[in-house]
Amino acid sequence: MALSETSKVILTNTLKEWMKFAVERERLTLAANELAAFTRKVVQECLAFLKAQNLDIQCDSPDDMKILGIALHIDPIIDATFPNVKASVVLKCSGSTRAILVNPNMSISAGGTIMTFDQLKKGVPEPFATNAADFVRDSFLFVARTGGKEE
């Protein structure tokens, strides 16, 4: 039995929708990975400042950072459930958490401020740096208060 033209159109449209989803998922995955790497470097600079003040901070590598012995994680998160794709970068240290959203138009929402990838590539925008410093401060204080145990 051969497929009718109507059946072929239905299946072709399904394939087009899937391909559109797959391309969007790949595009946002690449953006989230790039943003996570950038964010790790900014947070590492914040931690280096604290370490220079003789605090118990480990930040020799952006992939291995700790506050008072508690690991700090900065991970790209892709929530891809057809037909929608959402991307973010989650910063977490014990009970302190922040999220940076990657918008479909490739802008970034960090701490309520919207910026573009181009702005990040030109240098660290002040609102982005402030958001990173806020996260490091909150993480340090949380770990200092609780010893890293979530309340």
Side-chain angles (χ1 to χ4, degrees):
M1 173 177 144
L3 287 177
S4 69
E5 287 305 311
T6 303
S7 295
K8 288 179 184 178
V9 167
I10 290 169
L11 296 173
T12 299
N13 287 340
T14 301
L15 181 59
K16 286 178 185 175
E17 285 299 311
W18 178 257
M19 294 306 295
K20 178 180 167 187
F21 168 76
V23 166
E24 184 70 358
R25 181 181 59 201
E26 181 65 21
R27 182 176 77 96
L28 289 176
T29 297
L30 291 171
N33 287 332
E34 182 180 346
L35 180 58
F38 181 82
T39 303
R40 283 184 199 105
K41 289 177 184 173
V42 174
V43 168
Q44 183 184 21
E45 287 181 29
C46 293
L47 291 173
F49 177 82
L50 291 179
K51 184 176 182 175
Q53 311 308 312
N54 295 320
L55 294 180
D56 181 11
I57 301 291
Q58 181 178 328
C59 62
D60 296 331
S61 161
D63 296 319
D64 184 22
M65 298 183 281
K66 292 182 180 174
I67 295 174
L68 302 174
I70 303 298
L72 190 145
H73 301 278
I74 300 174
D75 301 310
I77 305 295
I78 305 300
D79 179 10
T81 305
F82 184 81
N84 301 310
V85 182
K86 296 176 185 171
S88 61
V89 172
V90 173
L91 296 78
K92 184 165 179 49
C93 182
S94 190
S96 182
T97 304
R98 292 275 195 297
I100 304 169
L101 304 178
V102 179
N103 301 313
N105 67 356
M106 299 307 284
S107 65
I108 299 157
S109 299
T113 302
I114 297 178
M115 59 201 77
T116 66
F117 267 95
D118 287 342
Q119 287 174 295
L120 290 179
K121 290 176 182 175
K122 291 176 185 171
V124 182
E126 185 57 35
F128 194 92
T130 301
N131 193 46
D134 281 342
F135 168 72
V136 169
R137 177 205 59 214
D138 290 350
S139 296
F140 180 82
L141 294 175
F142 187 92
V143 172
R145 237 184 350 262
T146 66
K149 296 175 186 74
E150 294 193 35
E151 299 170 326

